[in-house]
Amino acid sequence: MSSERNDFIRDIIDDDLRTGRHTRVATRFPPEPNGYLHIGHAKAICVDFGIARDYGGTCNLRYDDTNPTKEDVEYVESIEQDVRWLGFAPSAVLFSADYFPRMYELAERLVREGLAYVCDLDDEQIREYRGSLTEPGKPSPFRERSIDENLDLLRRMKAGEFPNNARTLRAKIDMASANMKMRDPLLYRIRHAHHHRTGDAWCIYPMYDYAHPLEDAIEGITHSICTLEFENNRELYDWVLDHTGPWDPRPHQYEMARLALEYTVMSKRKLLQLVEGNYVSGWDDPRMPTIAGMRRRGYSPEAIRAFADMIGVAKANSMVDIGKLEYCVRDELNQNAPRVLGVLRPIEVELVGLPAGGVVTDAPYFPADVGKPGSRPLMIGPHILIDRDDWRDDPPSGYQRLAPGRTIRLRYGPCITAEEVTRRAPDGTVQAIRATVLPETLAGKNPDDGRKVAGVIHWVDAATSLPVEVRLYDRLFKTARPEEGGGDFLEHLDRASLEVVHGARVEASLATAQIGSRWQLERLGYFIVDSEVMPGALVLNRIITLRDTHSAAAAVTAKPASDAAKKPNAKAASRPKSKSPAEYRAEARARDPMLAAAHARIAALGGVTADWADLLTGDRDTAALYETTVGKVGHADLTAKWMINELPRALAGKELADAGLDAIRFAELVKAVAEQRLAAPAAKAALAEMIATGKALGDLAVADVGGGAVDLDSKIQAVIAANPDKAAQYKAGKTGLLGFFVGQVMKTVPGANPSEVNEAVRSRLG
RNA sequence: UCGGGGAUCGUCUAAUGGCAGGACGCAAGACUCUGACUCUUGCUAUCUAGGUUCGAAUCCUAGUCCCCGAACCA
């Protein structure tokens, strides 16, 4: 179920399953139906549905439609379609609006329990009363209304007696909370608006922070995954569940980083700007990062899912290299797109020496290494077309294409030698050339006279090829981070991101190509047959070019290396320096004479530094444990080190007061270490176990100090013998492996003294 | 400490006191009837400074930088 390497969310799930907190896994993907899904959503979908798939659980598609003024049925359909297209089947398709009755009941319950009140403040006043990030808010004048009055007002709100925004229902939490979200958040607002699902049944609508936890709880969601900007909302999420439950299972919210991708923008607002400003042709423009856009571009669901797997799940904000997406797209296409021939900007080539009537060869759809079957006949007649890019009057060195007098191979055809240019445009551009066919190469052999073949180029038969319109799509923006640098992101749009090529030709076999079918035009890139068909011509959208290491290497030198420069953050710079933990401890002592006295006593102890004395007297529990322990066993320095450096890990997040570690048992441990009856690693393990189980040292099965020199040496030799390759690497200079060997030995001889082991291993390995 | 998060190769991400690993990228080479694909080899990282430890990306301390939060949006 859980593979070796997991993301942090799967780690949590593994833990929940192991400890029995949950017996099954239920997730959900909760889009608001107010826009099209984009690649950022695709990541979320892959995480939510992927987890359900991996753990044999469920994942609901739930429309988070709690705001009637922003949402639309139009989006509901596109969203479900996009999810299914990505390859996921929702366990259920649900609507938040269907829970409105239940949510309202629970709102009345909150009112009855004195946990919510109806507030008459308007939006400006509410903001004012809320305070700021650094100042507490002040209570609403309506905060202390009676339960009966609140209930009455809430019912009248629901009954439609008040106009829009006249009153709100608010949770009664804490106007002074450091978390702004907890300063009496709004639960319901009045909206006399038509809802796409509930019609006019409601005129009060729940806010996200109230609705979302309830939706999760009602559906029995176990792991509610959202993005980082909701971290502050989690406290409120928990508050709502704690006061509306009990819920079983009790959902928990986890936050992951949202996707940011180079050369694109992701916000709905900016995407909408691109559409409405006609910078793109619509939501499904092949340059758009929308799922609809990518689908039309020819990106496959497999590629997008592979991309989601590649970038992983974590909590660090990051900007993903667009190259990773492009790699996934190419990787899938390489396996699945049949190869055909097409020419973008034709030069006519008259072929001399071709058998009369031309030649037909059978050309495979896939190269040998892809290994898929299929082929089509390929006609070559006396006139063919090649691409303008494949001709140079004056070829640069290393040019593997055609030039005067050169010989190249026509893909799936014979070798030809260019004889002369027979026609030029007024500007000198080559329009037609004549070339000689080397007949012996028709069957695939190389030229008899041993002349050099410069390369292989693509071509189409002039007589039988088909006209096509080709749309060459590229990245929408010129810069990797169009949203940075202060200016309008639209300034970074690349006008060349779409180039329409007329007059291109493709081989005859494409006459029957279906809309949506994807092909590789050899040496040019991957293309999809667009749903738009021009009169008499197919439309091909370029999905992506082939990887081009040749010209990439040439371009690299020209690229300015300016992108990286970090910008200073004005907000951070202007922010006052916050209080440090050290200041907190100092304040605690100033407030508490007992702590101050303890600090003075501890500082006066021999072997205790001023820093340690400070650290040990930030709170009474710590100070008391330290002083009592030292009072029992002495060893002021050793006790300090263990308390400061080792205790935190052993506590594993617990508060010292809850840890059940008394000075008696801690003193035993320190004493054992001081008297070298217990090696450090064993002592650390013992400490953790004492805290976890509340047992005393004597009741623990602790490894004795042992490992006499002879015994130890044989263990070391056994470990070395079991890892001959690593021993060799160590001798070759990879000294980092010392830790590996010591660790192995420590596992077999838990009570051993590590420094002795260290020394012994070192000398053994020479 | 206003509160909440975060920092590991150029990029994304592993390593839960014991080999800093993988992928993308890049470089060199091999192969090649696609300058593709594939293969081989190589490249580059623990934010800084102290401390604890035989051993620290991981624990402790002090700092630095980044992100989020004051919609009747989600």
Side-chain angles (χ1 to χ4, degrees):
Chain A
M1 187 139 302
S2 58
S3 58
E4 270 195 28
R5 275 210 261 280
N6 267 347
D7 55 72
F8 78 99
I9 295 176
R10 285 173 166 87
D11 284 343
I12 290 168
I13 294 174
D14 289 341
D15 222 49
D16 288 345
L17 258 18
R18 192 164 39 76
T19 61
R21 182 191 206 179
H22 294 295
T23 53
R24 64 185 176 88
V25 174
T27 60
R28 102 270 93 112
F29 172 63
E32 186 188 14
N34 71 341
Y36 282 78
L37 260 28
H38 54 62
I39 181 124
H41 295 111
K43 173 189 175 182
I45 290 168
C46 290
V47 172
D48 291 330
F49 284 92
I51 284 173
R53 182 233 297 132
D54 293 350
Y55 288 89
T58 56
C59 180
N60 296 339
L61 169 59
R62 179 176 71 225
Y63 295 99
D64 211 353
D65 51 357
T66 55
N67 186 349
T69 62
K70 292 180 66 180
E71 294 145 9
D72 209 308
V73 270
E74 172 198 348
Y75 299 116
V76 170
E77 275 179 20
S78 80
I79 287 171
E80 184 173 345
Q81 186 192 347
D82 287 348
V83 169
R84 291 186 187 278
W85 177 79
L86 266 179
F88 297 103
S91 308
V93 178
L94 304 165
F95 294 83
S96 307
D98 293 349
Y99 311 144
F100 284 170
R102 182 87 184 272
M103 290 174 183
Y104 176 79
E105 277 171 33
L106 290 166
E108 285 207 356
R109 172 174 156 194
L110 289 176
V111 169
R112 280 196 304 273
E113 291 177 4
L115 293 167
Y117 62 96
V118 172
C119 180
D120 298 356
L121 259 25
D122 66 29
D123 59 344
E124 199 175 312
Q125 291 167 318
I126 286 176
R127 209 173 318 127
E128 229 176 86
Y129 276 76
R130 189 146 38 212
S132 73
L133 294 177
T134 48
E135 304 151 26
K138 53 186 179 184
S140 159
F142 307 98
R143 198 171 200 258
E144 300 306 331
R145 287 217 251 235
S146 72
I147 287 173
D148 287 343
E149 186 184 3
N150 280 322
L151 213 45
D152 175 60
L153 285 170
L154 175 59
R155 286 173 181 166
R156 288 164 62 194
M157 278 170 64
K158 175 171 178 274
E161 287 189 27
F162 310 119
N164 281 346
N165 307 334
R167 296 183 214 266
T168 56
L169 181 72
R170 301 179 69 174
K172 193 192 256 189
I173 306 180
D174 177 9
M175 287 308 291
S177 171
N179 182 353
M180 302 289 294
K181 290 278 186 285
M182 298 299 276
R183 318 245 259 228
D184 286 11
L186 273 55
L187 267 23
Y188 272 90
R189 75 285 219 190
I190 300 174
R191 284 286 138 81
H192 293 273
H194 189 82
H195 188 278
H196 76 95
R197 189 159 178 87
T198 59
D200 299 313
W202 294 86
C203 63
I204 57 172
Y205 290 92
M207 302 289 293
Y208 168 85
D209 282 310
Y210 177 65
H212 205 89
L214 293 182
E215 294 157 17
D216 286 342
I218 290 167
E219 289 177 20
I221 302 301
T222 55
H223 301 266
S224 180
I225 300 157
C226 62
T227 47
L228 253 26
E229 68 269 27
F230 291 97
E231 279 172 330
N232 296 304
N233 300 59
R234 190 175 58 235
E235 192 179 355
L236 181 49
Y237 182 99
D238 289 335
W239 185 93
V240 170
L241 292 181
D242 288 345
H243 293 96
T244 53
W247 297 101
D248 182 32
R250 203 290 201 171
H252 286 267
Q253 173 183 303
Y254 301 96
E255 309 89 13
M256 63 169 180
R258 70 186 322 151
L259 171 65
L261 231 205
E262 286 179 351
Y263 294 96
T264 194
V265 295
M266 215 71 94
S267 85
K268 278 178 187 166
R269 202 194 95 243
K270 284 173 180 158
L271 260 13
L272 186 67
Q273 228 177 315
L274 290 172
V275 172
E276 295 193 330
N278 290 315
Y279 297 102
V280 296
S281 66
W283 287 102
D284 68 343
D285 185 291
R287 292 165 293 179
M288 289 285 275
T290 51
I291 292 181
M294 294 188 291
R295 179 166 53 222
R296 187 161 171 204
R297 175 77 171 261
Y299 291 8
S300 67
E302 293 81 0
I304 294 168
R305 280 188 261 123
F307 172 68
D309 285 345
M310 181 182 276
I311 61 177
V313 178
K315 295 198 76 158
N317 287 309
S318 56
M319 174 71 67
V320 174
D321 178 2
I322 189 89
K324 290 184 173 62
L325 210 212
E326 293 175 344
Y327 170 85
C328 293
V329 169
R330 286 192 180 104
D331 193 43
E332 182 271 332
L333 254 358
N334 179 49
Q335 292 302 313
N336 297 316
R339 320 291 139 119
V340 290
L341 299 181
V343 167
L344 253 29
R345 300 172 185 85
I347 294 177
E348 200 179 308
V349 182
E350 181 192 347
L351 259 24
V352 178
L354 203 65
V359 175
V360 176
T361 53
D362 188 58
Y365 274 130
F366 291 95
D369 60 305
V370 173
K372 291 194 173 178
S375 65
R376 80 289 184 189
L378 209 48
M379 169 75 190
I380 181 165
H383 291 273
I384 62 167
L385 306 171
I386 65 169
D387 239 311
R388 196 129 77 208
D389 281 349
D390 288 335
W391 172 269
R392 288 292 166 83
D393 290 315
D394 187 17
S397 75
Y399 192 68
Q400 299 178 23
R401 313 176 192 188
L402 248 202
R406 284 219 192 180
T407 300
I408 49 87
R409 166 78 66 180
L410 294 176
R411 180 73 165 155
Y412 306 119
C415 293
I416 60 170
T417 302
E419 302 296 348
E420 61 173 325
V421 173
T422 53
R423 190 168 78 240
R424 283 182 192 273
D427 66 357
T429 311
V430 173
Q431 290 178 321
I433 61 177
R434 185 168 58 241
T436 311
V437 173
L438 280 55
E440 75 276 15
T441 63
L442 267 168
K445 287 197 313 187
N446 282 331
D448 283 345
D449 56 7
R451 87 175 74 171
K452 190 176 164 237
V453 179
V456 181
I457 65 170
H458 57 275
W459 55 277
V460 293
D461 179 52
T464 59
S465 61
L466 274 16
V468 287
E469 176 177 313
V470 179
R471 297 177 184 170
L472 267 15
Y473 290 103
D474 211 333
R475 298 165 181 171
L476 228 200
F477 293 93
K478 286 186 294 231
T479 55
R481 301 173 181 223
E483 288 162 302
E484 291 182 6
D488 187 342
F489 77 101
L490 294 170
E491 288 168 15
H492 298 106
L493 277 170
D494 186 355
R495 291 170 177 282
S497 59
L498 168 58
E499 183 187 357
V500 180
V501 177
H502 302 281
R505 315 277 297 188
V506 292
E507 62 171 78
S509 72
L510 250 25
T512 55
Q514 302 289 307
I515 285 171
S517 60
R518 298 137 79 229
W519 307 86
Q520 183 191 117
L521 296 188
E522 294 207 38
R523 301 210 307 134
L524 291 176
Y526 296 97
F527 295 80
I528 180 169
V529 179
D530 194 64
S531 49
E532 252 177 61
V533 179
M534 305 308 276
L538 288 176
V539 173
L540 292 181
N541 293 338
R542 184 170 69 196
I543 304 166
I544 195 160
T545 60
L546 257 28
R547 188 160 166 269
D548 184 359
T549 46
H550 172 65
S551 56
V556 137
T557 48
K559 191 180 179 181
S562 64
D563 249 5
K566 292 276 183 203
K567 58 285 134 185
N569 183 293
K571 195 176 166 190
S574 67
R575 211 143 47 186
K577 288 270 179 285
S578 50
K579 215 181 294 177
S580 70
E583 286 172 281
Y584 256 125
R585 291 191 296 271
E587 276 181 16
R589 286 191 294 271
R591 222 181 308 117
D592 183 347
M594 282 180 63
L595 267 186
H599 181 254
R601 284 193 303 273
I602 292 171
L605 252 29
V608 175
T609 67
D611 283 349
W612 291 355
D614 174 26
L615 289 167
L616 291 166
T617 54
D619 65 89
R620 284 189 175 191
D621 290 332
T622 306
L625 178 63
Y626 178 73
E627 286 206 292
T628 320
T629 304
V630 172
K632 288 183 187 307
V633 292
H635 301 297
D637 55 340
L638 188 64
T639 307
K641 282 180 187 175
W642 273 77
M643 278 200 64
I644 293 168
N645 294 306
E646 305 302 341
L647 194 51
R649 170 140 38 199
L651 283 169
K654 272 193 198 171
E655 289 295 326
L656 186 54
D658 311 329
L661 179 72
D662 56 42
I664 298 168
R665 288 180 296 130
F666 188 52
E668 281 176 23
L669 183 87
V670 172
K671 192 154 182 271
V673 173
E675 292 171 0
Q676 302 194 349
R677 282 186 285 114
L678 203 53
K684 286 174 195 174
L687 181 60
E689 203 178 338
M690 284 161 70
I691 289 170
T693 63
K695 287 183 182 168
L697 185 59
D699 301 332
L700 263 29
V702 177
D704 290 332
V705 172
V710 176
D711 183 38
L712 196 59
D713 192 57
S714 72
K715 298 287 186 192
I716 290 170
Q717 296 214 46
V719 168
I720 292 173
N723 298 279
D725 49 332
K726 292 213 161 65
Q729 285 174 36
Y730 179 89
K731 284 176 182 142
K734 191 167 177 183
T735 52
L737 284 167
L738 183 63
F740 165 77
F741 284 108
V742 175
Q744 293 296 306
V745 174
M746 292 304 298
K747 268 182 198 122
T748 57
V749 195
N753 179 336
S755 57
E756 277 173 25
V757 173
N758 203 57
E759 199 41 57
V761 169
R762 200 196 304 268
S763 64
R764 254 302 154 198
L765 283 169

